[in-house]
Amino acid sequence: MSDQNTTAMINILTPVHIGTGEKYSGLDYLIDEKLNQLFRLPTEGVINALGRNWTIYTEWLDQKFKEIESKIVGLDFKKKSKIERTELAKINLEIFCQTKGIDKDIFFSRSLYKLPCSKNLGTDKDISEFPKQAHLAYMPGSEIKGAIRTALLYSLLKHDSNIAIYEWLKTTIRNLPNIKIKIKKVEKKCQNIIKSEGNNSSPNKKEKGILVKELGKIEDELQKRLLRTKLFGGSDQAHFDILKFLQVGDGIPFTPADFLCICPVEPINTSKKFVNWQEFLVPGKSIPLSKIELNSHKSRIQDYLDKHHFSKLQQSYLSEGRLTQILQACYEFNKALLEEEIAFYGKPHIQKQTPKVIDRLKNLQETNTPTSPLLRLGMGQGYLSVTINLLFKQKEFELYDKVLIHATQNVSYDSEHGGPLPKTRRLVEYNGEIWPPGWIQLQMVEKKTDIFALPKSWSPLSFGDLSEAPVAKGVNTAEKEPEQSGELAPAKPELRPEYVILLNQAQRVDCVPQEFGGIMQKWQGLTECGEKRALAQVLLKKLEPLKLKKRDKLFDYKTLLQQFISEESKS
């Protein structure tokens, strides 16, 4: 099977959370206790549900914020922050409904989406979001490619033909403690920082940050030496990177309610106990990637690699324009990573706390194959999943133990002080059981248009209920009858997922110059005329009701769109 005719299914093996940095609080959701479901509510949904009485909500919020302000007047920053955190958690929609005697059922129909949740979630928690666009969730292709990059670095570094690079790396890390740094005009060796801040329960994060920065420089140079050619200074230019040939698209968007669940996350093997709540992709689901392929014909790749003198080893990962060696590298790295995890959970005191986790990891070992390898993504990846330090822990333990682990931002203990790092892990509770997070499998499959098909009733120019937007539903081999398309409603299943997302964004963009301008930039970047014309019509429909003056930026956008459609009509 040619790689140009394949893509990959992402099989979710354990709960997966991809962070966005965005969280929502108790003001943004309500819980139906009977169904154990969380309803995600935008502020406008709350206001619309209250109708003419919407001011009681804003007045209640105003009163609560004034009460907090009165409690923190005259306090120092530390006390202020503590009181604010405690009091803000008490301001949520559940309390509002109880205080004002409002039936919260009126809000449920206004929700963006609903998700299954644990009984002990409560209404005062902050919840970390999974990536979404236009209220559809998706798996970012960049997350997949980042995991592949780490595996490739591991594979390249351990190869015999790169022994010179490996020796350079060893020598450079061994000399890291001797590097002199100026701190507030005082010269200081990195060794002094390691001595004072390593094995320290309350390290100076600024000083440890210096070690992180110096190690980052070494890792950047390592990536250049392993992945790029040196010809014409190519090691300093990203377009001479062998991974420039690998294209990994986002996963096909899916409805949150079908694929996500809100789960608690807790650390183990630590005295500091806390719980975080996050949106997770649940085990047992499969999501098609929009693409994963080498982005050029194999002969063109080979000509480019030969012309720019990439090494034979580098070239082998792109052999005949196929992904075989890249998948093999992923298999080898995650095989080693799973062995490390099994060793950690095999410790008697850990196994006593989490007896089923080691069995899950052994099952993952059996699932990992050279043609359908495992990857670890997102929250819970840990220190060894996102760096090449796993190889040093295996082969150069003393350097790992005495130098590398201390070039981290937080607390770091070596083996003489209860370490080495990482000595903790995070686990997820899902369906009443404990899971190691982040494990997926890449399963290569033949491209089929029905994997990416849109529902027949959905049209890019007639945005209705978002439940009719394209979603990932797995592979369906049944033949579909071709849809008769009208002049303004092409119902072709070949619409690109990226374009579908853009259409949804355009329908919901506010007519504010900055936000509208972002959509316009994406519109100008479209190369397919049909897509560009359809999107222009959607954007014009948003602008037509507005009374715009010539000095308005939106007026310029409207003129540009009108000119484009006029020229298209003539041609």
Side-chain angles (χ1 to χ4, degrees), residues 117-179:
C117 64
S118 171
K119 289 182 179 179
N120 58 346
L121 170 60
T123 58
D124 59 348
K125 307 295 190 301
D126 288 345
I127 300 170
S128 299
E129 283 200 88
F130 198 89
K132 299 181 192 72
Q133 287 187 350
H135 313 317
L136 294 175
Y138 71 100
M139 172 67 75
S142 56
E143 194 75 21
I144 306 282
K145 192 168 182 178
I148 291 174
R149 189 178 189 86
T150 300
L152 204 55
L153 287 167
Y154 176 88
S155 178
L156 283 163
L157 187 58
K158 68 195 286 286
H159 199 278
D160 290 343
S161 63
N162 277 329
I163 188 67
I165 296 177
Y166 184 80
E167 291 300 323
W168 163 83
L169 182 61
K170 267 202 315 183
T171 302
T172 306
I173 291 176
R174 192 175 288 119
N175 290 334
L176 177 61
N178 298 320
I179 294 176

Side-chain angles (χ1 to χ4, degrees), residues 57-68:
Y57 180 61
T58 55
E59 288 168 359
W60 178 79
L61 283 178
D62 189 49
Q63 176 193 346
K64 289 296 179 183
F65 290 137
K66 284 179 179 177
E67 289 174 4
I68 294 176

Side-chain angles (χ1 to χ4, degrees), residues 408-453:
T408 52
Q409 197 69 53
N410 299 313
V411 177
S412 56
Y413 294 109
D414 62 28
S415 56
E416 294 177 6
H417 297 81
L421 181 152
K423 66 172 190 173
T424 64
R425 298 292 192 277
R426 284 184 283 181
L427 294 172
V428 179
E429 182 185 333
Y430 168 66
N431 268 359
E433 298 185 350
I434 302 301
W435 299 73
W439 289 100
I440 68 159
Q441 182 182 40
L442 277 182
Q443 180 184 1
M444 303 307 294
V445 295
E446 187 175 356
K447 283 184 180 175
K448 290 182 181 291
T449 55
D450 52 8
I451 295 178
F452 311 102

Side-chain angles (χ1 to χ4, degrees), residues 350-368:
I350 302 291
Q351 194 166 6
K352 188 176 180 180
Q353 295 177 58
T354 58
K356 291 187 178 181
V357 172
I358 195 165
D359 292 330
R360 292 196 191 282
L361 291 168
K362 288 179 179 177
N363 288 338
L364 291 173
Q365 260 188 329
E366 295 175 6
T367 307
N368 188 31

Side-chain angles (χ1 to χ4, degrees), residues 7-12 130 137-139 250-254 259-260 281-282 285-290 441-443 451-452 471-474:
T7 185
M9 295 294 291
I10 307 170
N11 297 325
I12 311 302
F130 198 89
Y138 71 100
M139 172 67 75
D250 294 337
I252 299 303
F254 51 87
F259 285 72
L260 300 181
L281 263 172
V282 299
K285 300 292 184 179
S286 294
I287 301 166
L289 278 179
S290 56
Q441 182 182 40
L442 277 182
Q443 180 184 1
I451 295 178
F452 311 102
V471 296
K473 295 185 177 178

Side-chain angles (χ1 to χ4, degrees), residues 182-212:
K182 277 192 177 182
I183 304 174
K184 295 181 179 179
K185 298 183 179 180
V186 177
E187 197 167 71
K188 195 172 186 178
K189 278 188 175 184
C190 287
Q191 179 62 51
N192 296 331
I193 299 175
I194 293 173
K195 285 182 179 179
S196 63
E197 308 307 327
N199 304 307
N200 186 339
S201 60
S202 300
N204 183 320
K205 290 191 176 183
K206 285 187 178 180
E207 295 213 350
K208 288 207 81 182
I210 292 168
L211 298 178
V212 173

Side-chain angles (χ1 to χ4, degrees), residues 10-11 13-14 16 143-149 151 292 326-327 329-331 333-334 337 368 372-377 381 437-442:
I10 307 170
N11 297 325
L13 305 180
T14 69
V16 175
E143 194 75 21
I144 306 282
K145 192 168 182 178
I148 291 174
R149 189 178 189 86
I292 178 169
I326 291 176
L327 296 175
C330 294
Y331 161 75
F333 175 72
N334 288 285
L337 185 59
N368 188 31
S372 296
L374 268 55
L375 296 174
R376 199 173 197 189
L377 310 177
Q381 282 179 303
W439 289 100
I440 68 159
Q441 182 182 40
L442 277 182

